[in-house]
Amino acid sequence: MTLDIELQNKIRALSNRKELPDKTPYTSISVNNIGKISRKSGVSCREVEVTSLEAEIIPERYVRNMKSFSPSDQATLLRSRASIVGLGGLGGAVTEILARLGIGTLNLIDGDVFEESNLNRQYLCRESLISTPKADAAAKRVEEINSSVTVIHHLKYLNEDNASGIIENSDVVIDCLDSLSGRFILEKASKKAGYRLVSAAVAGNYGQITTIFPEDPGLRLIYGDADKAPDKGAETSLGALSHTVSLIAALECSEAIKILLKNGSLLRNRLLVVDLADNSFETMQLI
Amino acid sequence: MEEKTHIIIKLFASLTRFTPDSADKYPISSGTSIRAIINRLGISEDKAKLIFINGIKGELDSTLKGGERIGIFPPVGGG
C-alpha cells in the first residue's frame, strides 16, 4: 500500500492538466514519463499505467479511449490477457488493434513464416520479412506500439498436445486460424479450460464471426461435426482480401473487448455474416 | 395439392456463382425441401452445410412454405 502511494505521488508529480477537444478536463501522464517512473521505481510500465488509472490520471496514449472506457475499464484491459492464435491476416490486425487498445498481456501464437502471397493483407508482413517467423514480427510490432504491453510469443503451431499449455491463463482467446481442424482443436482446449473464444473466418468478400462460451455448442453449429468437417473451406478458391480481413479482425476485437469488460451484447449462438459485395451484414441465429 | 409460391435465395462466398437470375423471386412448390433446391441449383450437398431460413439455422431437410428468405453458406475457414 505504501508503495502504491509512493508510486502515485511520483505519477502525480509528473502529470499535467489537459482538456479534451470538447473541453472536458483531465489529468494526463505521457508515455515518456511512464517510462521514467517505471525505470526509477523498478515496476513495469503496465503497473505504472494501472496505478495511474486508479488515481484517475489518464495515460495520454489512452486518452481517446476515455469517452468509451472509464479509467477502471482501461485498468481492467491492462490487467487482461488475450491469446491470439494465428498471426496472418486476421491475427496481424487483431494484434495491432489490441496492442493500441492497451490489453496488458498478448499471447501470440503462430509457427509459420511470411510468404510473398501474405503481402496483400497481412499487416505484419513486409517485403524485408519474407521467410521470417510471423510470431517474431508480431512481438516486435507490439513492442513498438505499446511498451506497456507484455508480449509472450510462441513460434509453434497449435496442436492437440500443446494447445492447453499455450493458451493457459487467457481471459479471452481469439481464433485467427486458417484451417477448420485448427479451429476445432482451439475450441476444445478453450472449452476445457473454461475460456471464452471469439472465432472468425474469411473468404474473398465474405466474412463471419461468432463468440463461444465454454457451455455453448460452438463451431459444430457452423461447420458440422469436427471429424466430418473439411480442413479448408471456400478461401481455397476465393483467397482473402485486405479490407475484408481488416473488417472482420476489427469485429473480433470488438467482441473481445466486450468479453473483457463484461458489457454489451455478444454473438453467442449467433453468427454475424458479412458480404461486402452487396454491403449485407446480418446476424443469424445458430440455435 | 402443392401450391406454387416464391422464396428469396442468397448464396454466399464460393456459392455466389450458383445464384439464379430469379434469386429475389425464386419459384418453388410449397413443401419443397432445401435439399431439393440446392440440387436444382447444381450445388453439391457437402458445399451447403450452413443454411439459414429467415435468419434462423435450418437443415437440408427443412421444408419451405413460400415467402421465406434463405441463405446458404459453404464452409469458410480463411484467416
Side-chain angles (χ1 to χ4, degrees), chain B residues 2-21:
Chain B
E2 287 179 355
E3 197 185 324
K4 297 287 176 195
T5 181
H6 298 94
I7 56 169
I8 299 170
I9 296 181
K10 181 162 165 57
L11 304 176
F12 287 83
S14 51
L15 301 182
T16 53
R17 66 195 171 94
F18 296 101
T19 304
D21 290 338

Side-chain angles (χ1 to χ4, degrees), chain A residues 221-236:
Chain A
L221 295 177
I222 299 167
Y223 299 117
D225 290 333
D227 54 349
K228 289 183 197 139
D231 191 42
K232 299 276 182 184
E235 67 284 358
T236 50

Side-chain angles (χ1 to χ4, degrees), chain A residues 111-119 125-137 155:
Chain A
D112 204 4
V113 296
F114 289 115
E115 296 171 19
E116 287 189 19
S117 62
N118 301 152
L119 282 165
C125 183
R126 304 204 307 258
E127 290 179 12
S128 60
L129 295 181
I130 302 302
S131 302
T132 69
K134 295 182 179 185
D136 283 346
L155 277 69

Side-chain angles (χ1 to χ4, degrees), chain A residues 171-175 183-184 186-188 190-191 194-200 209-223 255 259 266-271 286:
Chain A
D171 295 300
V172 64
V173 178
I174 306 171
D175 169 11
R183 293 173 189 281
F184 277 108
L186 179 61
E187 181 190 51
K188 193 174 165 192
S190 300
K191 283 186 169 194
Y195 303 151
R196 293 159 182 199
L197 174 71
V198 180
S199 179
I209 168 168
T210 188
T211 288
I212 302 166
F213 279 23
E215 61 270 34
D216 298 340
L219 294 178
R220 72 178 164 80
L221 295 177
I222 299 167
Y223 299 117
E255 285 293 281
I259 289 172
L266 295 170
L267 290 165
R268 284 181 74 187
N269 299 316
R270 296 188 296 160
L271 187 70
L286 289 166

Side-chain angles (χ1 to χ4, degrees), chain A residues 161-176:
Chain A
D161 299 326
N162 67 16
S164 296
I166 286 182
I167 62 168
E168 210 169 11
N169 296 324
S170 301
D171 295 300
V172 64
V173 178
I174 306 171
D175 169 11
C176 301

Side-chain angles (χ1 to χ4, degrees), chain A residues 45 103 112 139 172 193 195 202 235 237 259 261 263 268 274 281-282:
Chain A
C45 289
I103 308 304
D112 204 4
V172 64
Y195 303 151
V202 293
E235 67 284 358
S237 58
I259 289 172
L261 296 180
N263 64 21
R268 284 181 74 187
V274 177
F281 288 67
E282 192 171 357

Side-chain angles (χ1 to χ4, degrees), chain A residues 12-282:
Chain A
R12 270 185 218 291
L14 291 178
S15 67
N16 58 320
R17 295 291 292 165
K18 290 181 112 173
E19 275 184 355
L20 289 178
D22 71 357
K23 307 289 180 202
T24 309
Y26 68 100
T27 311
S28 162
I29 179 141
S30 69
V31 171
N32 267 344
N33 283 334
I34 286 168
K36 266 188 210 165
I37 295 167
S38 162
R39 285 189 296 277
K40 278 189 189 164
S41 314
V43 298
S44 68
C45 289
R46 181 157 58 98
E47 283 175 73
V48 177
E49 288 190 350
V50 169
T51 306
S52 168
L53 287 158
E54 283 168 348
E56 308 260 314
I57 296 166
I58 313 298
E60 188 65 18
R61 66 159 68 249
Y62 305 123
V63 75
R64 291 293 184 272
N65 295 352
M66 216 176 116
K67 292 284 182 177
S68 304
F69 302 153
S70 67
S72 157
D73 287 341
Q74 188 69 61
T76 298
L77 297 181
L78 281 164
R79 289 192 192 98
S80 299
R81 177 191 290 225
S83 288
I84 304 171
V85 189
L87 297 168
L90 290 173
V94 167
T95 301
E96 174 95 13
I97 293 168
L98 295 189
R100 290 185 189 280
L101 282 170
I103 308 304
T105 305
L106 293 179
N107 186 32
L108 309 171
I109 301 124
D110 201 321
D112 204 4
V113 296
F114 289 115
E115 296 171 19
E116 287 189 19
S117 62
N118 301 152
L119 282 165
N120 83 318
R121 69 193 184 286
Q122 300 190 14
Y123 289 1
L124 297 168
C125 183
R126 304 204 307 258
E127 290 179 12
S128 60
L129 295 181
I130 302 302
S131 302
T132 69
K134 295 182 179 185
D136 283 346
K140 188 158 183 286
R141 181 69 182 157
V142 174
E143 284 158 17
E144 285 167 352
I145 293 170
N146 192 340
S147 51
S148 296
V149 173
T150 301
V151 185
I152 303 158
H153 70 299
H154 303 269
L155 277 69
K156 283 177 192 165
Y157 291 105
L158 203 78
N159 59 42
E160 292 269 9
D161 299 326
N162 67 16
S164 296
I166 286 182
I167 62 168
E168 210 169 11
N169 296 324
S170 301
D171 295 300
V172 64
V173 178
I174 306 171
D175 169 11
C176 301
L177 290 163
D178 63 356
S179 74
L180 302 194
S181 52
R183 293 173 189 281
F184 277 108
I185 290 170
L186 179 61
E187 181 190 51
K188 193 174 165 192
S190 300
K191 283 186 169 194
K192 197 173 151 198
Y195 303 151
R196 293 159 182 199
L197 174 71
V198 180
S199 179
V202 293
N205 273 321
Y206 171 80
Q208 63 187 32
I209 168 168
T210 188
T211 288
I212 302 166
F213 279 23
E215 61 270 34
D216 298 340
L219 294 178
R220 72 178 164 80
L221 295 177
I222 299 167
Y223 299 117
D225 290 333
D227 54 349
K228 289 183 197 139
D231 191 42
K232 299 276 182 184
E235 67 284 358
T236 50
S237 58
L238 297 179
L241 297 170
S242 185
H243 49 287
T244 316
V245 167
S246 304
L247 171 67
I248 303 299
L251 291 171
E252 286 197 284
C253 294
S254 166
E255 285 293 281
I257 294 297
K258 287 182 285 180
I259 289 172
L260 294 173
L261 296 180
K262 301 184 171 62
N263 64 21
S265 161
L266 295 170
L267 290 165
R268 284 181 74 187
N269 299 316
R270 296 188 296 160
L271 187 70
L272 172 57
V273 300
V274 177
D275 184 355
L276 293 177
D278 61 4
N279 293 315
S280 66
F281 288 67
E282 192 171 357

